[in-house]
Amino acid sequence: MAKVIEGLYYSESHEYVRVEGEYGYIGISDFAQHALGNIVYVDMPEVDDEVVAGEDFGAVESVKAASDLISPVSGTVVEVNEALEDEPELVNKDAFENWIIKVELTDKAELDNLMDAAAYEKFCENE
């Protein structure tokens, strides 16, 4: 069973958001990294890029497949996880510690469209 963390927001495309104040840390869920297998590359936006809820902001490539990253929320990228440029496999080690981008949230109401941990666990059981 994939790990699901309480207090995060989850999307149907298996991204999560950890909210801290006005910022959201976005990454892929443990379920997603298991499904992808060994991650070999993470394509990330630039700082100051805008991300829009429901639209892609990059991609994750594994030995099995490439998968678009779909932003669960809208905002401005304030930081990218540069460690993933050299060590994309960190996402496999701990998907929740190794977020992909940090955004300044544009509209916190968008979080209401996402799943909590319990809803996401149920969602994953049906995947």
Side-chain angles (χ1 to χ4, degrees):
M1 179 68 194
K3 185 165 89 174
V4 176
I5 295 184
E6 291 288 332
L8 302 184
Y9 298 89
Y10 297 89
S11 69
E12 289 188 359
S13 52
H14 302 288
E15 287 83 14
Y16 68 82
V17 184
R18 183 179 80 233
V19 176
E20 293 184 6
E22 297 306 307
Y23 298 98
Y25 292 84
I26 301 173
I28 64 169
S29 70
D30 193 49
F31 180 93
Q33 72 83 14
H34 275 294
L36 282 164
N38 293 334
I39 293 171
V40 295
Y41 180 70
V42 181
D43 178 35
M44 297 177 276
E46 304 283 320
V47 170
D48 293 331
D49 281 359
E50 296 292 323
V51 295
V52 178
E55 295 186 12
D56 62 349
F57 67 85
V60 176
E61 292 178 24
S62 72
V63 291
K64 287 199 266 184
S67 181
D68 285 339
L69 294 165
I70 310 296
S71 189
V73 291
S74 301
T76 305
V77 178
V78 293
E79 191 177 343
V80 298
N81 187 346
E82 291 179 5
L84 299 180
E85 290 173 9
D86 296 326
E87 294 183 89
E89 67 275 7
L90 288 170
V91 175
N92 292 121
K93 289 190 179 128
D94 189 332
F96 295 112
E97 279 297 309
N98 294 290
W99 49 272
I100 297 171
I101 59 172
K102 176 182 175 184
V103 300
E104 187 169 356
L105 300 169
T106 307
D107 181 4
K108 279 191 166 175
E110 288 177 339
L111 296 168
D112 297 339
N113 301 327
L114 301 171
M115 292 176 274
D116 64 11
Y120 182 66
E121 268 182 23
K122 278 198 180 72
F123 178 77
C124 288
E125 285 170 15
N126 298 320
E127 281 286 273

